[in-house]
Amino acid sequence: MFSSFDKPIVITGANASGKTAIALRIAKEIGAEIISADSRQIYKHLSAGTSKPAGRWINKENPVYIVDSIPYHLVDFIDPIETYNVAKYIYDFKNCLLKIKTRKFIICGGTGFYINSIFNPLDPMPESNKHIRNQLREYLDKYGKEKLHEKLKELDPVSAKKIHPNNVHRVIRAIEVSILTSKPYSSLISNNIFNPKSYSNAFFVFIKWSRQLLSKRIKQRTKEVFNHWEREIKDMITNGYPIDCPGLKSLGYPIMIDYIENKISRDKAIELIVKESMDYAKRQNTWFSRYESTKIEINEEKEFDIDSIANNIISRYEISCNNSNK
RNA sequence: GCCGCGGUAGCUCAGUGGUAGAGCACUGGUCUGAAAAACCAGGUGUCGUUGGUUCGAUCCCAACCCGCGGCA
């Protein structure tokens, strides 16, 4: 997939771990463009709450989002009213590669599933079907989770064993695919979606903060963007976006909406957002620790020095490129 | 000083004469078109201290310590 490029650098880490700043610094140094792997920064109008890097669109014919003079792809291009998913991301990612003018690029983001799917392609399968999902939802409301799970057991006992009855999302998806293809969902899955070999096509970096420091940083960041975030949501509502549209379901947004509707105080909103962000950071760290990667650990504030981290990554990256050329 | 109430997990508390539990917090994990989603699993402990009664006390009794309230 990357044959016309040098080995890409992949910068992963939890939210607020400083991925973007580091990626930009490296991009400038080595002459690379950046591709985002973030399921929320794709949305237009969602900026404060998603920490989307501030940039501007140039070139009307062939628009490019520029952040600090670096082309930054796959952000700020989907309307918040639209749902998005991995398959769309992979499609957009491939198209994006055609637009990149440098030999090097950096993948930067916190959506592990998207990053993984770049290196381990999804098995061919039908996309989601609104009609079937609605039917299954109705069935669920009427008969409950257990009955829905039994339905899956009839169609695909293997998946039924793997998917917990409470995990309604996955149960529905498995039934949906089984119905659409007339084959058990499990029979379409190749089971090597986490093949470690495929990651050697790239240089993975994992920025891992100590929990305490990250929590402090998230709190600070939440306070800093709070007013801007509030304004952002109010503007969207004024412009007719329903409060339950896909974009506004992003982490923290429903809490901000409760605050705007005077259901909770400002302090309470900040507290809840920090908590949810930390829960999410935990899941991200679990995901990223499965990759073999160059780990940058930050246990003290002073260790977060963007220049020295970037230089450290670049030198290790160059060594890794030389080794794989031999 | 006296009277009353309380002291059990990080927090809020429940509970029992046979050495403990709930919620939240916390920790670990799963992941194939909703992934900032949706799920799963797991503990946390001198039961305030010291004695006494008892085969056995976190539980009953006493003293003491600490907190809260009331009366002086």
Side-chain angles (χ1 to χ4, degrees):
Chain A
M1 192 198 269
F2 313 133
S3 51
S4 53
F5 297 97
D6 292 348
K7 184 196 262 192
I9 298 176
V10 183
I11 302 200
T12 68
N15 60 107
S17 55
K19 298 183 292 291
T20 306
I22 292 166
L24 283 167
R25 187 72 196 77
I26 296 171
K28 273 190 192 171
E29 195 66 36
I30 65 173
E33 300 189 19
I34 297 174
I35 305 178
S36 166
D38 187 299
S39 70
R40 297 295 135 177
Q41 292 178 3
I42 55 163
Y43 285 118
K44 288 186 274 190
H45 312 303
L46 270 54
S47 298
T50 63
S51 307
K52 185 196 292 162
R56 63 196 165 85
W57 285 99
I58 60 158
N59 195 347
K60 270 229 159 103
E61 309 279 294
N62 222 337
V64 184
Y65 190 80
I66 302 288
V67 179
D68 199 9
S69 82
I70 304 290
Y72 205 107
H73 304 277
L74 302 188
V75 293
D76 198 58
F77 70 111
I78 302 286
D79 192 285
I81 204 93
E82 286 180 44
T83 48
Y84 196 74
N85 60 47
V86 220
K88 287 180 182 170
Y89 177 78
I90 296 303
Y91 178 84
D92 289 332
F93 181 89
K94 285 177 181 165
N95 281 331
C96 174
L97 287 180
L98 304 173
K99 292 189 203 156
I100 289 181
K101 297 201 175 76
T102 49
R103 275 203 61 84
K104 291 181 164 71
F105 69 94
I106 298 169
I107 297 168
C108 172
T111 305
F113 187 32
Y114 286 11
I115 293 173
N116 192 67
S117 303
I118 294 169
F119 296 94
N120 292 296
L122 299 162
D123 292 312
M125 239 176 268
E127 52 188 274
S128 69
N129 180 298
K130 243 189 187 156
H131 180 65
I132 292 180
R133 282 193 184 186
N134 285 341
Q135 275 187 335
L136 291 171
R137 276 277 159 204
E138 273 176 37
Y139 187 86
L140 169 72
D141 291 342
K142 221 169 161 184
Y143 302 107
K145 292 174 190 171
E146 295 296 334
K147 285 276 172 206
L148 188 74
H149 194 253
E150 274 172 34
K151 211 179 178 81
L152 176 61
K153 214 183 259 172
E154 287 166 26
L155 291 162
D156 180 0
V158 178
S159 291
K161 218 170 179 182
K162 265 176 75 178
I163 304 172
H164 194 282
N166 286 347
N167 203 345
V168 174
H169 271 204
R170 297 259 174 82
V171 173
I172 287 181
R173 173 62 182 161
I175 296 175
E176 173 187 67
V177 173
S178 303
I179 291 174
L180 286 169
T181 61
S182 310
K183 287 179 196 161
Y185 175 67
S186 57
S187 71
L188 301 168
I189 284 177
S190 57
N191 273 329
N192 55 3
I193 193 145
F194 291 113
N195 177 7
K197 270 188 197 160
S198 54
Y199 306 131
S200 58
N201 297 328
F203 182 76
F204 274 74
V205 178
F206 175 20
I207 299 167
K208 187 169 187 190
W209 289 64
S210 80
R211 190 177 163 75
Q212 238 181 0
L213 260 191
L214 189 67
S215 166
K216 193 174 159 197
R217 195 169 142 90
I218 287 174
K219 188 166 189 180
Q220 197 179 339
R221 185 191 256 196
T222 306
K223 281 181 177 168
E224 273 166 23
V225 301
F226 197 91
N227 291 340
H228 181 189
W229 196 348
E230 181 183 355
R231 176 85 269 135
E232 178 176 297
I233 294 173
K234 283 182 174 167
D235 286 348
M236 285 178 70
I237 292 170
T238 307
N239 288 323
Y241 285 102
I243 57 170
D244 60 350
C245 69
L248 286 177
K249 284 186 187 159
S250 305
L251 193 151
Y253 281 81
I255 297 170
M256 284 301 284
I257 290 167
D258 279 351
Y259 165 75
I260 288 168
E261 291 175 346
N262 284 318
K263 288 180 189 158
I264 53 173
S265 70
R266 184 188 172 101
D267 284 351
K268 188 74 191 170
I270 290 170
E271 184 194 318
L272 290 172
I273 289 167
V274 171
K275 186 199 143 20
E276 287 199 1
S277 301
M278 288 305 291
D279 287 349
Y280 174 49
K282 194 167 149 42
R283 277 175 270 138
Q284 287 177 303
N285 284 337
T286 300
W287 186 286
F288 293 127
S289 52
R290 77 192 312 157
Y291 300 116
E292 211 169 283
S293 61
T294 297
K295 211 187 228 179
I296 308 283
E297 295 201 53
I298 296 167
N299 297 313
E300 281 179 66
E301 224 149 336
K302 64 170 192 278
E303 289 172 342
F304 187 67
D305 176 337
I306 293 168
D307 278 344
S308 72
I309 291 172
N311 289 333
N312 181 355
I313 293 170
I314 290 167
S315 61
R316 295 211 230 169
Y317 168 64
E318 283 168 354
I319 291 168
S320 131
C321 288
N322 289 337
N323 285 345
S324 47
N325 285 342
K326 276 174 197 165

